[in-house]
Protein backbone atom coordinates (compact mmCIF):
# COMPACT_ATOMS: atom_id res chain seq x y z
CA UNK A 1 0.00 0.00 0.00
CA UNK A 2 1.43 3.35 -1.07
CA UNK A 3 1.86 6.30 1.26
CA UNK A 4 -0.75 8.28 -0.69
CA UNK A 5 -3.33 5.54 -0.18
CA UNK A 6 -2.54 5.35 3.52
CA UNK A 7 -2.89 9.12 3.88
CA UNK A 8 -6.20 8.97 2.03
CA UNK A 9 -7.53 6.33 4.44
CA UNK A 10 -6.26 8.26 7.47
CA UNK A 11 -7.97 11.37 6.14
CA UNK A 12 -11.34 9.63 6.45
CA UNK A 13 -10.97 9.62 10.24
CA UNK A 14 -10.97 13.40 10.73
CA UNK A 15 -11.20 15.37 7.49
CA UNK A 16 -14.99 15.03 6.83
CA UNK A 17 -15.90 16.21 10.34
CA UNK A 18 -13.30 19.01 10.28
CA UNK A 19 -14.34 20.30 6.86
CA UNK A 20 -18.01 20.06 7.82
CA UNK A 21 -17.44 22.43 10.76
CA UNK A 22 -15.60 24.92 8.54
CA UNK A 23 -18.25 24.85 5.82
CA UNK A 24 -21.07 25.24 8.34
CA UNK A 25 -19.38 28.28 9.86
CA UNK A 26 -18.92 29.84 6.42
CA UNK A 27 -22.51 28.97 5.51
CA UNK A 28 -23.87 30.75 8.58
CA UNK A 29 -21.59 33.69 7.92
CA UNK A 30 -23.10 34.07 4.44
CA UNK A 31 -26.76 33.23 5.06
CA UNK A 32 -27.36 34.69 8.54
CA UNK A 33 -27.73 38.46 8.49
CA UNK A 34 -25.69 40.63 10.81
CA UNK A 35 -27.35 40.91 14.20
CA UNK A 36 -29.49 37.78 13.77
CA UNK A 37 -28.67 34.85 16.06
CA UNK A 38 -27.08 31.79 14.52
CA UNK A 39 -28.60 28.36 15.24
CA UNK A 40 -27.25 27.18 18.56
CA UNK A 41 -25.12 24.02 18.57
CA UNK A 42 -27.31 21.09 19.57
CA UNK A 43 -30.52 22.68 18.32
CA UNK A 44 -32.60 20.75 15.75
CA UNK A 45 -31.89 23.32 13.02
CA UNK A 46 -28.14 23.27 13.67
CA UNK A 47 -28.14 19.44 13.67
CA UNK A 48 -30.09 19.30 10.38
CA UNK A 49 -27.69 21.70 8.66
CA UNK A 50 -24.65 19.83 9.95
CA UNK A 51 -26.05 16.47 8.84
CA UNK A 52 -26.72 17.70 5.29
CA UNK A 53 -23.34 19.38 4.99
CA UNK A 54 -21.62 16.28 6.39
CA UNK A 55 -23.30 14.05 3.80
CA UNK A 56 -22.17 16.37 1.01
CA UNK A 57 -18.60 16.46 2.33
CA UNK A 58 -18.42 12.65 2.53
CA UNK A 59 -19.68 12.29 -1.05
CA UNK A 60 -17.17 14.86 -2.29
CA UNK A 61 -14.33 13.11 -0.45
CA UNK A 62 -15.46 9.83 -1.96
CA UNK A 63 -15.25 11.42 -5.42
CA UNK A 64 -11.82 12.80 -4.57
CA UNK A 65 -10.66 9.33 -3.52
CA UNK A 66 -11.72 7.96 -6.92
CA UNK A 67 -9.84 10.71 -8.77
CA UNK A 68 -6.80 10.25 -6.51
CA UNK A 69 -6.75 6.49 -7.16
CA UNK A 70 -6.93 7.10 -10.92
CA UNK A 71 -4.13 9.69 -10.70
CA UNK A 72 -1.98 7.21 -8.78
CA UNK A 73 -2.42 4.58 -11.49
CA UNK A 74 -1.58 7.08 -14.22
CA UNK A 75 1.50 8.28 -12.34
CA UNK A 76 2.82 4.76 -11.89
CA UNK A 77 2.33 4.08 -15.59
CA UNK A 78 2.70 0.72 -17.33
CA UNK A 79 4.89 -0.94 -19.95
CA UNK A 80 2.55 -0.04 -22.81
CA UNK A 81 2.66 3.61 -21.85
CA UNK A 82 6.45 3.53 -21.42
CA UNK A 83 6.86 2.28 -24.98
CA UNK A 84 4.06 4.47 -26.29
CA UNK A 85 2.09 1.61 -27.87
CA UNK A 86 -1.48 0.36 -27.58
CA UNK A 87 -2.62 -2.68 -25.64
CA UNK A 88 -3.23 -4.57 -28.89
CA UNK A 89 0.25 -3.95 -30.32
CA UNK A 90 1.94 -6.88 -32.07
CA UNK A 91 5.54 -8.10 -31.90
CA UNK A 92 6.68 -6.01 -34.84
CA UNK A 93 5.28 -2.81 -33.38
CA UNK A 94 6.99 -3.46 -30.03
CA UNK A 95 10.41 -3.99 -31.58
CA UNK A 96 10.10 -0.98 -33.87
CA UNK A 97 9.07 1.28 -31.03
CA UNK A 98 11.85 0.05 -28.74
CA UNK A 99 14.54 0.64 -31.37
CA UNK A 100 13.34 4.21 -31.82
CA UNK A 101 13.28 4.91 -28.06
CA UNK A 102 16.62 3.20 -27.51
CA UNK A 103 18.21 5.45 -30.11
CA UNK A 104 16.87 8.51 -28.28
CA UNK A 105 17.58 7.50 -24.67
CA UNK A 106 20.67 5.29 -24.89
CA UNK A 107 23.02 6.01 -21.94
CA UNK A 108 26.05 6.31 -24.24
CA UNK A 109 24.61 9.54 -25.67
CA UNK A 110 24.55 11.25 -22.26
CA UNK A 111 27.70 12.91 -20.89
CA UNK A 112 26.48 14.23 -17.52
CA UNK A 113 26.84 11.75 -14.65
CA UNK A 114 23.48 12.52 -13.06
CA UNK A 115 21.69 12.49 -16.39
CA UNK A 116 23.46 9.25 -17.30
CA UNK A 117 22.08 7.49 -14.21
CA UNK A 118 18.53 8.60 -15.06
CA UNK A 119 19.04 7.55 -18.68
CA UNK A 120 20.31 4.12 -17.62
CA UNK A 121 17.27 3.60 -15.37
CA UNK A 122 14.94 4.59 -18.21
CA UNK A 123 16.75 2.35 -20.69
CA UNK A 124 16.53 -0.62 -18.31
CA UNK A 125 12.79 -0.03 -17.88
CA UNK A 126 12.27 0.17 -21.64
CA UNK A 127 14.28 -3.03 -22.16
CA UNK A 128 12.25 -4.79 -19.44
CA UNK A 129 9.02 -3.60 -21.03
CA UNK A 130 10.08 -4.96 -24.41
CA UNK A 131 11.14 -8.34 -23.00
CA UNK A 132 7.89 -8.78 -21.07
CA UNK A 133 5.57 -7.75 -23.90
CA UNK A 134 7.38 -9.89 -26.48
CA UNK A 135 6.92 -13.03 -24.33
CA UNK A 136 3.25 -14.15 -24.58
CA UNK A 137 3.34 -15.87 -21.18
CA UNK A 138 4.89 -12.92 -19.36
CA UNK A 139 2.60 -10.52 -21.20
CA UNK A 140 -0.43 -12.49 -20.03
CA UNK A 141 0.84 -12.38 -16.44
CA UNK A 142 1.74 -8.68 -16.61
CA UNK A 143 -1.67 -7.65 -17.94
CA UNK A 144 -3.37 -9.40 -14.99
CA UNK A 145 -0.92 -9.05 -12.09
CA UNK A 146 1.08 -5.96 -12.98
CA UNK A 147 4.80 -5.40 -12.33
CA UNK A 148 4.68 -7.68 -9.27
CA UNK A 149 5.04 -10.65 -11.64
CA UNK A 150 8.64 -9.60 -12.36
CA UNK A 151 9.60 -10.84 -8.89
CA UNK A 152 8.03 -14.27 -9.34
CA UNK A 153 10.77 -16.77 -10.06
CA UNK A 154 10.62 -20.22 -11.64
CA UNK A 155 7.48 -19.44 -13.67
CA UNK A 156 7.58 -21.00 -17.12
CA UNK A 157 3.88 -21.23 -18.02
CA UNK A 158 0.61 -19.37 -17.59
CA UNK A 159 -0.42 -21.95 -15.00
CA UNK A 160 2.65 -21.15 -12.88
CA UNK A 161 1.85 -17.45 -12.89
CA UNK A 162 -1.80 -18.11 -12.06
CA UNK A 163 -0.92 -20.30 -9.09
CA UNK A 164 1.40 -17.69 -7.60
CA UNK A 165 -1.09 -14.92 -8.41
CA UNK A 166 -3.90 -16.72 -6.58
CA UNK A 167 -1.65 -17.26 -3.56
CA UNK A 168 -0.86 -13.54 -3.60
CA UNK A 169 -4.41 -12.18 -3.77
CA UNK A 170 -6.25 -14.70 -1.55
CA UNK A 171 -4.96 -13.26 1.77
CA UNK A 172 -6.55 -9.94 0.81
CA UNK A 173 -10.03 -11.50 0.69
CA UNK A 174 -9.55 -13.86 3.63
CA UNK A 175 -8.28 -11.12 5.93
CA UNK A 176 -10.97 -8.75 4.66
CA UNK A 177 -13.74 -11.24 5.46
CA UNK A 178 -12.31 -11.98 8.92
CA UNK A 179 -11.96 -8.26 9.64
CA UNK A 180 -15.58 -7.58 8.69
CA UNK A 181 -16.84 -10.53 10.77
CA UNK A 182 -14.94 -9.32 13.84
CA UNK A 183 -16.21 -5.75 13.42
CA UNK A 184 -19.73 -7.10 12.97
CA UNK A 185 -19.57 -9.00 16.26
CA UNK A 186 -18.24 -5.88 17.99
CA UNK A 187 -21.24 -3.86 16.79
CA UNK A 188 -19.54 -1.92 14.00
CA UNK A 189 -20.49 -1.91 10.30
CA UNK A 190 -24.17 -2.31 11.14
CA UNK A 191 -25.39 -0.13 8.28
CA UNK A 192 -25.17 -2.02 4.98
CA UNK A 193 -23.54 -5.07 6.56
CA UNK A 194 -24.84 -7.61 4.05
CA UNK A 195 -24.09 -5.38 1.07
CA UNK A 196 -20.47 -5.35 2.22
CA UNK A 197 -20.30 -9.13 2.09
CA UNK A 198 -22.02 -9.20 -1.31
CA UNK A 199 -19.62 -6.60 -2.72
CA UNK A 200 -16.59 -8.48 -1.39
CA UNK A 201 -17.78 -11.73 -2.96
CA UNK A 202 -18.59 -9.92 -6.21
CA UNK A 203 -15.09 -8.47 -6.36
CA UNK A 204 -13.60 -11.92 -5.74
CA UNK A 205 -15.65 -13.39 -8.60
CA UNK A 206 -14.69 -10.49 -10.87
CA UNK A 207 -10.99 -10.90 -10.08
CA UNK A 208 -11.11 -14.67 -10.61
CA UNK A 209 -12.80 -14.11 -13.98
CA UNK A 210 -10.28 -11.43 -14.96
CA UNK A 211 -7.08 -13.33 -14.20
CA UNK A 212 -8.19 -16.63 -15.76
CA UNK A 213 -9.51 -15.39 -19.12
CA UNK A 214 -7.25 -14.88 -22.17
CA UNK A 215 -9.03 -11.64 -23.02
CA UNK A 216 -9.67 -8.38 -21.19
CA UNK A 217 -12.94 -8.15 -19.21
CA UNK A 218 -15.42 -6.91 -21.85
CA UNK A 219 -17.91 -5.27 -19.46
CA UNK A 220 -15.44 -3.18 -17.50
CA UNK A 221 -13.36 -2.37 -20.56
CA UNK A 222 -16.40 -1.04 -22.42
CA UNK A 223 -17.64 0.80 -19.33
CA UNK A 224 -14.44 2.28 -17.93
CA UNK A 225 -12.79 3.23 -21.21
CA UNK A 226 -15.47 5.77 -22.28
CA UNK A 227 -15.61 7.15 -18.71
CA UNK A 228 -11.84 7.57 -18.64
CA UNK A 229 -11.87 9.45 -21.93
CA UNK A 230 -14.63 11.72 -20.61
CA UNK A 231 -12.44 12.43 -17.60
CA UNK A 232 -9.38 13.17 -19.76
CA UNK A 233 -8.93 13.06 -23.52
CA UNK A 234 -5.40 11.67 -23.09
CA UNK A 235 -6.47 8.95 -20.68
CA UNK A 236 -5.39 5.48 -21.77
CA UNK A 237 -7.62 2.43 -21.23
CA UNK A 238 -7.12 0.54 -17.98
CA UNK A 239 -5.26 -2.75 -18.07
CA UNK A 240 -6.85 -5.65 -16.15
CA UNK A 241 -4.47 -5.34 -13.20
CA UNK A 242 -5.18 -1.60 -13.04
CA UNK A 243 -8.92 -2.29 -13.00
CA UNK A 244 -8.43 -4.69 -10.11
CA UNK A 245 -6.24 -2.27 -8.14
CA UNK A 246 -8.81 0.47 -8.67
CA UNK A 247 -11.69 -1.82 -7.65
CA UNK A 248 -9.94 -2.90 -4.43
CA UNK A 249 -9.21 0.63 -3.33
CA UNK A 250 -12.71 1.82 -4.20
CA UNK A 251 -14.20 -1.09 -2.25
CA UNK A 252 -12.30 -0.17 0.92
CA UNK A 253 -13.11 3.52 0.43
CA UNK A 254 -16.77 2.72 -0.10
CA UNK A 255 -16.84 0.68 3.12
CA UNK A 256 -15.49 3.66 5.06
CA UNK A 257 -17.92 6.05 3.38
CA UNK A 258 -20.88 3.78 4.15
CA UNK A 259 -19.83 3.57 7.80
CA UNK A 260 -19.99 7.37 8.02
CA UNK A 261 -23.06 7.86 5.82
CA UNK A 262 -25.20 5.25 7.59
CA UNK A 263 -25.81 7.18 10.84
CA UNK A 264 -26.38 10.37 8.85
CA UNK A 265 -28.93 8.86 6.48
CA UNK A 266 -30.74 7.23 9.43
CA UNK A 267 -30.41 9.85 12.19
CA UNK A 268 -31.34 8.84 15.77
CA UNK A 269 -34.52 10.31 17.33
CA UNK A 270 -34.17 13.62 19.21
CA UNK A 271 -32.82 13.50 22.74
CA UNK A 272 -35.48 12.94 25.37
CA UNK A 273 -37.77 11.05 22.99
CA UNK A 274 -35.97 7.74 22.78
CA UNK A 275 -38.71 5.14 22.42
CA UNK A 276 -38.81 2.22 24.78
CA UNK A 277 -39.49 -1.05 22.98
CA UNK A 278 -42.89 -2.47 23.96
CA UNK A 279 -43.04 -5.55 26.14
CA UNK A 280 -44.15 -8.76 24.56
CA UNK A 281 -47.13 -10.60 25.95
CA UNK A 282 -46.37 -12.24 29.33
CA UNK A 283 -42.82 -10.82 29.18
CA UNK A 284 -41.15 -9.52 32.31
CA UNK A 285 -39.82 -5.93 32.29
CA UNK A 286 -36.07 -5.60 32.17
CA UNK A 287 -34.10 -3.88 34.96
CA UNK A 288 -33.33 -1.02 32.56
CA UNK A 289 -37.05 -0.45 31.92
CA UNK A 290 -37.86 -0.57 35.64
CA UNK A 291 -35.07 1.88 36.41
CA UNK A 292 -36.32 4.22 33.69
CA UNK A 293 -39.89 3.99 35.03
CA UNK A 294 -38.70 4.72 38.56
CA UNK A 295 -36.75 7.72 37.30
CA UNK A 296 -39.79 9.08 35.45
CA UNK A 297 -42.03 8.61 38.50
CA UNK A 298 -39.57 10.42 40.74
CA UNK A 299 -39.26 13.29 38.27
CA UNK A 300 -43.06 13.54 38.01
CA UNK A 301 -43.50 13.62 41.82
CA UNK A 302 -40.84 16.28 42.16
CA UNK A 303 -42.43 18.47 39.47
CA UNK A 304 -45.92 18.05 40.97
CA UNK A 305 -44.66 19.00 44.45
CA UNK A 306 -42.88 22.05 43.01
CA UNK A 307 -46.01 23.24 41.19
CA UNK A 308 -48.17 22.67 44.28
CA UNK A 309 -45.73 24.71 46.36
CA UNK A 310 -45.99 27.57 43.86
CA UNK A 311 -49.80 27.47 44.03
CA UNK A 312 -49.77 27.52 47.86
CA UNK A 313 -47.25 30.36 48.11
CA UNK A 314 -49.96 33.08 48.59
CA UNK A 315 -51.32 31.20 51.65
CA UNK A 316 -47.96 30.88 53.43
CA UNK A 317 -48.39 31.68 57.15
CA UNK A 318 -52.22 31.71 57.03
CA UNK A 319 -53.15 28.46 58.79
CA UNK A 320 -56.92 29.07 58.66
CA UNK A 321 -56.88 29.63 54.91
CA UNK A 322 -54.67 26.57 54.41
CA UNK A 323 -57.04 24.41 56.50
CA UNK A 324 -60.04 25.60 54.48
CA UNK A 325 -58.16 25.02 51.20
CA UNK A 326 -57.23 21.48 52.22
CA UNK A 327 -60.88 20.72 53.11
CA UNK A 328 -62.08 22.08 49.79
CA UNK A 329 -59.42 20.12 47.88
CA UNK A 330 -60.39 16.94 49.72
CA UNK A 331 -64.05 17.49 48.87
CA UNK A 332 -63.20 18.20 45.24
CA UNK A 333 -61.11 15.05 44.98
CA UNK A 334 -63.92 12.95 46.45
CA UNK A 335 -66.59 14.47 44.22
CA UNK A 336 -64.71 14.64 40.91
CA UNK A 337 -62.20 11.83 41.14
CA UNK A 338 -63.55 9.05 43.29
CA UNK A 339 -67.32 9.33 42.87
CA UNK A 340 -67.04 10.13 39.16
CA UNK A 341 -65.20 6.87 38.52
CA UNK A 342 -67.56 4.43 36.71
CA UNK A 343 -66.52 1.46 38.84
CA UNK A 344 -67.03 3.40 42.08
CA UNK A 345 -70.46 4.64 40.98
CA UNK A 346 -71.46 1.09 40.02
CA UNK A 347 -70.29 -0.30 43.38
CA UNK A 348 -72.17 2.44 45.30
CA UNK A 349 -75.32 1.76 43.30
CA UNK A 350 -75.16 -1.98 44.01
CA UNK A 351 -74.63 -1.35 47.75
CA UNK A 352 -77.62 1.01 47.90
CA UNK A 353 -79.76 -1.49 46.01
CA UNK A 354 -78.87 -4.28 48.43
CA UNK A 355 -79.70 -2.14 51.46
CA UNK A 356 -83.15 -1.30 50.04
CA UNK A 357 -84.12 -4.89 49.37
CA UNK A 358 -87.20 -5.86 51.56
CA UNK A 359 -88.05 -2.25 52.47
CA UNK A 360 -91.67 -1.05 52.02
CA UNK A 361 -92.53 0.15 48.53
CA UNK A 362 -92.86 3.82 49.56
CA UNK A 363 -89.54 3.76 51.41
CA UNK A 364 -87.43 2.40 48.49
CA UNK A 365 -87.21 5.72 46.73
CA UNK A 366 -85.18 5.90 43.53
CA UNK A 367 -81.67 4.94 42.79
Amino acid sequence: MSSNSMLSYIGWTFLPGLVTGWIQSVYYGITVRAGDPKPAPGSPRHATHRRRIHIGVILLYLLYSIVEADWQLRRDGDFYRDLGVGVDVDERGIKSRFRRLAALHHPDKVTSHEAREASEALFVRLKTAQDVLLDPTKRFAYDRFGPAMLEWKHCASVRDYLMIGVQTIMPYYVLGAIFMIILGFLGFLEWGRYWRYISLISLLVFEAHTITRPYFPPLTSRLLTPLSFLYSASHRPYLPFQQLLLARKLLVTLYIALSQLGPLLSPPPPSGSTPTPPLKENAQPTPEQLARLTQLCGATDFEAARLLGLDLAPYAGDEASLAELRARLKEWLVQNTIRADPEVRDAVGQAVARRREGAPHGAKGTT
Side-chain angles (χ1 to χ4, degrees):
M1 184 181 296
S2 63
S3 59
N4 289 334
S5 299
M6 181 62 68
L7 290 176
S8 178
Y9 294 144
I10 295 176
W12 278 103
T13 60
F14 67 93
L15 278 181
L18 185 63
V19 174
T20 298
W22 290 346
I23 294 178
Q24 191 170 14
S25 299
V26 174
Y27 172 74
Y28 286 153
I30 297 174
T31 59
V32 178
R33 294 181 300 180
D36 292 344
K38 298 180 181 180
S43 63
R45 186 182 177 190
H46 185 278
T48 300
H49 291 165
R50 184 172 183 84
R51 183 171 64 86
R52 292 174 179 175
I53 296 174
H54 202 174
I55 291 175
V57 169
I58 291 175
L59 293 178
L60 288 176
Y61 195 66
L62 179 61
L63 179 61
Y64 162 77
S65 299
I66 297 175
V67 175
E68 188 268 340
D70 172 78
W71 176 84
Q72 181 71 28
L73 290 176
R74 295 170 60 191
R75 190 194 68 171
D76 294 340
D78 57 78
F79 288 164
Y80 296 94
R81 186 175 182 179
D82 293 340
L83 294 176
V85 296
V87 295
D88 55 350
V89 64
D90 56 7
E91 180 179 349
R92 181 179 178 182
I94 295 173
K95 291 181 178 179
S96 175
R97 186 63 180 173
F98 175 74
R99 286 194 297 267
R100 185 179 305 175
L101 293 175
L104 293 174
H105 303 286
H106 199 280
D108 294 340
K109 295 184 177 182
V110 180
T111 57
S112 173
H113 178 70
E114 296 180 355
R116 185 181 181 86
E117 291 182 355
S119 180
E120 289 177 353
L122 177 59
F123 185 81
V124 170
R125 182 173 176 84
L126 294 175
K127 184 66 169 63
T128 303
Q130 177 196 231
D131 295 341
V132 170
L133 297 183
L134 287 178
D135 189 328
T137 301
K138 292 183 179 180
R139 184 172 179 175
F140 176 92
Y142 176 79
D143 289 344
R144 286 148 185 82
F145 302 107
M149 51 79 57
L150 297 175
E151 302 177 359
W152 300 348
K153 307 301 182 181
H154 311 294
C155 293
S157 63
V158 172
R159 179 182 176 85
D160 295 336
Y161 281 108
L162 286 177
M163 293 299 296
I164 297 180
V166 170
Q167 296 174 8
T168 303
I169 64 177
M170 282 307 296
Y172 172 84
Y173 293 98
V174 173
L175 293 178
I178 294 175
F179 186 69
M180 286 196 297
I181 292 174
I182 293 176
L183 290 181
F185 278 120
L186 294 178
F188 300 97
L189 305 181
E190 290 294 331
W191 200 83
R193 174 192 299 180
Y194 299 105
W195 286 107
R196 288 184 173 89
Y197 291 117
I198 293 175
S199 60
L200 183 65
I201 296 173
S202 300
L203 180 60
L204 175 60
V205 173
F206 169 68
E207 184 154 2
H209 173 81
T210 301
I211 66 177
T212 56
R213 294 297 181 271
Y215 49 81
F216 289 5
L219 178 61
T220 53
S221 298
R222 294 173 184 174
L223 178 63
L224 292 178
T225 300
L227 292 177
S228 61
F229 277 104
L230 287 175
Y231 169 69
S232 174
S234 60
H235 201 296
R236 301 173 64 88
Y238 292 111
L239 296 173
F241 82 88
Q242 292 174 328
Q243 296 181 19
L244 295 174
L245 288 176
L246 187 63
R248 291 176 194 166
K249 180 169 184 179
L250 292 185
L251 187 67
V252 176
T253 305
L254 188 61
Y255 285 170
I256 301 174
L258 286 177
S259 300
Q260 299 189 13
L261 282 174
L264 298 175
L265 296 176
S266 302
S271 59
S273 61
T274 304
T276 303
L279 292 174
K280 298 181 180 179
E281 187 176 359
N282 299 328
Q284 296 295 328
T286 62
E288 291 79 7
Q289 292 173 329
L290 292 176
R292 181 175 177 80
L293 181 60
T294 303
Q295 183 180 5
L296 290 175
C297 292
T300 303
D301 291 341
F302 175 80
E303 187 66 18
R306 186 181 68 84
L307 293 176
L308 182 61
L310 291 176
D311 292 336
L312 295 178
Y315 302 98
D318 191 350
E319 296 297 334
S321 299
L322 286 176
E324 182 180 358
L325 180 62
R326 292 192 185 97
R328 295 292 182 90
L329 286 176
K330 182 178 180 181
E331 181 180 357
W332 180 85
L333 288 173
V334 171
Q335 295 291 339
N336 295 277
T337 304
I338 300 177
R339 292 183 180 179
D341 188 272
E343 296 183 359
V344 174
R345 293 179 62 183
D346 185 61
V348 172
Q350 293 179 6
V352 173
R354 285 196 299 269
R355 294 182 62 181
R356 291 178 177 176
E357 290 179 0
H361 181 71
K364 289 186 178 181
T366 59
T367 59

